Amino acid sequence: MSTETVDLGAIPAAWTRRHLLSLESLSAEEITIILDAAVQFKEVARDSRNKVPALVGHTVANLFFENSTRTRTSFSLAARRLSADTVDFSGAGSSLSKGETFIDTAKNIEAMGVDIIVVRHRTPGTPHLLAQNIECSVVNAGDGPHEHPTQALLDILTIREHRGDLRGLTVALVGDIQHSRTARSNIWGLQKLGAHVVLCGPATLVSRQWEELGVEVCHDFDEVLPRCDVVNLLRIQFERQVTRPFPSVREYALLYAMNKERLAKAKDDILILAPGPINRGVEVTPEVADGPHSVILEQVTNGVAVRMAVLWLLAGVRDGR
């Protein structure tokens, strides 16, 4: 693919950030800038034979201290399709196990000529701490249960591609809200672009305190479903739970899984999203996950495009473009 189909000119004047740490801190205009840039990169993101020279001479380091397949691969592909060099780093077997601090490890990686660090860590606020202590640009690829901004951006881009405008849409986030970093980022992003957000799940995973963020809280999926334009099914994160929040997986699936019976109660054009990994038979049944209302694989493709846009914008500010 040539660069003729991608505008690699100056980045929008309204984008001035060196880091992407959260969606809570972004304005609606800044979120839209990322989404619009991702649209430009969409065709490049689809095909491994395509590259653009946007980040030639730049190095992107992926520092992942939690397991990840989808996000880590997506960031690596995004960097490579922008012609950047990439470095992968994990906590296991690193100098951290020898007593080195996280910040010292990051500074040593930065000293090797890295321009952008993509970090995932189980501790909320780690990317923010990193941004305060190094000169590299920092991208939050998930900090514990706090935020996962690029996941929310790819979710929102997928909705925008199908609906055109988020204003007036009702979007339900269903599942393990309490432990979900994706939920928090989606709430900020969706509300700033005009959507009405409903959180739905067992009371043990969706407390009424969430209403302080301006969202609607509901514990009855069948009650809220007919009003929804979009349903985003969040994974039950058993690995983050100290005690089981519901009696059994079977009961959870009975009350909250998106299946063909519930699909019959939904709007004819409802969109089904899931940030993955999918627990088939728990949050969603196979016939729905693979059915015509599902845009789950579109989300994955959009993830590469969104991450290309983010890396391009951050590098542009660093380079003074």
Side-chain angles (χ1 to χ4, degrees):
M1 184 175 188
S2 73
T3 60
E4 293 177 358
T5 56
V6 179
D7 180 5
L8 295 177
I11 64 172
W15 182 267
T16 60
R17 295 180 181 270
R18 285 200 308 120
H19 311 291
L20 179 65
L21 303 177
S22 71
L23 289 199
E24 182 180 9
S25 60
L26 297 191
S27 66
E29 182 181 12
E30 289 171 318
I31 292 172
T32 301
I33 287 173
I34 297 173
L35 300 178
D36 290 345
V39 172
Q40 295 184 60
F41 289 118
K42 188 73 180 285
E43 289 304 315
V44 185
R46 291 182 197 275
D47 194 330
S48 62
R49 296 168 296 183
N50 293 336
K51 283 189 176 182
V52 291
L55 264 63
V56 168
H58 294 74
T59 301
V60 177
N62 292 318
L63 275 64
F64 278 63
F65 298 93
E66 280 191 317
N67 294 331
S68 170
T69 301
R70 190 175 289 93
T71 301
R72 185 173 191 156
T73 303
S74 184
F75 268 111
S76 292
L77 289 175
R80 290 171 189 167
R81 287 174 189 169
L82 293 169
S83 302
D85 294 322
T86 61
V87 178
D88 286 331
F89 179 91
S90 62
S94 72
S95 294
L96 289 171
S97 63
K98 302 174 185 176
E100 186 173 62
T101 68
F102 172 75
I103 296 299
D104 282 339
T105 297
K107 285 184 175 179
N108 276 276
I109 292 172
E110 179 182 41
M112 297 177 193
V114 168
D115 302 286
I116 300 175
I117 289 180
V118 179
V119 61
R120 168 172 287 193
H121 201 283
R122 69 180 59 190
T123 304
T126 298
H128 304 71
L129 177 65
L130 198 59
Q132 293 168 7
N133 284 276
I134 62 175
E135 296 300 319
C136 288
S137 292
V138 176
V139 181
N140 181 0
D143 57 333
H146 179 221
E147 278 223 42
H148 193 352
T150 56
Q151 177 64 50
L153 287 165
L154 72 87
D155 292 344
I156 293 169
L157 176 61
T158 306
I159 297 170
R160 196 179 78 163
E161 285 182 333
H162 283 267
R163 293 292 185 267
D165 191 340
L166 273 74
R167 287 175 293 185
L169 293 181
T170 295
V171 181
L173 308 178
V174 181
D176 188 351
I177 307 300
Q178 179 179 342
H179 301 96
S180 174
R181 50 194 168 213
T182 297
R184 287 168 175 79
S185 290
N186 263 279
I187 289 169
W188 296 121
L190 289 166
Q191 287 186 324
K192 288 176 179 180
L193 296 185
H196 173 65
V197 179
V198 182
L199 305 183
C200 183
T204 49
L205 293 175
V206 192
S207 75
R208 291 289 174 186
Q209 288 185 328
W210 287 91
E211 293 175 339
E212 297 174 2
L213 299 182
V215 301
E216 176 184 347
V217 171
C218 178
H219 304 301
D220 187 340
F221 191 20
D222 294 300
E223 184 276 321
V224 72
L225 180 58
R227 295 191 280 122
C228 294
D229 299 288
V230 180
V231 170
N232 196 346
L233 301 162
L234 306 184
R235 183 175 65 88
I236 301 299
Q237 301 190 37
F238 294 108
E239 73 276 13
R240 297 187 190 279
Q241 296 165 2
V242 178
T243 58
R244 183 63 63 89
F246 39 77
S248 69
V249 170
R250 183 176 181 276
E251 179 182 290
Y252 177 85
L254 183 66
L255 295 174
Y256 296 105
M258 193 66 190
N259 51 35
K260 63 180 182 181
E261 290 78 16
R262 288 203 166 91
L263 198 58
K265 303 176 184 176
K267 291 184 177 179
D268 292 340
D269 60 350
I270 192 167
L271 290 181
I272 305 297
L273 283 75
I278 299 172
N279 290 323
R280 290 175 181 262
V282 181
E283 295 96 12
V284 59
T285 55
E287 68 268 23
V288 176
D290 303 325
H293 295 275
S294 170
V295 292
I296 294 171
L297 292 181
E298 292 180 40
Q299 291 173 261
V300 178
T301 300
N302 284 342
V304 179
V306 160
R307 284 154 184 146
M308 290 177 72
V310 168
L311 296 175
W312 176 67
L313 289 165
L314 299 185
V317 171
R318 284 179 54 83
D319 296 346
R321 288 163 51 187

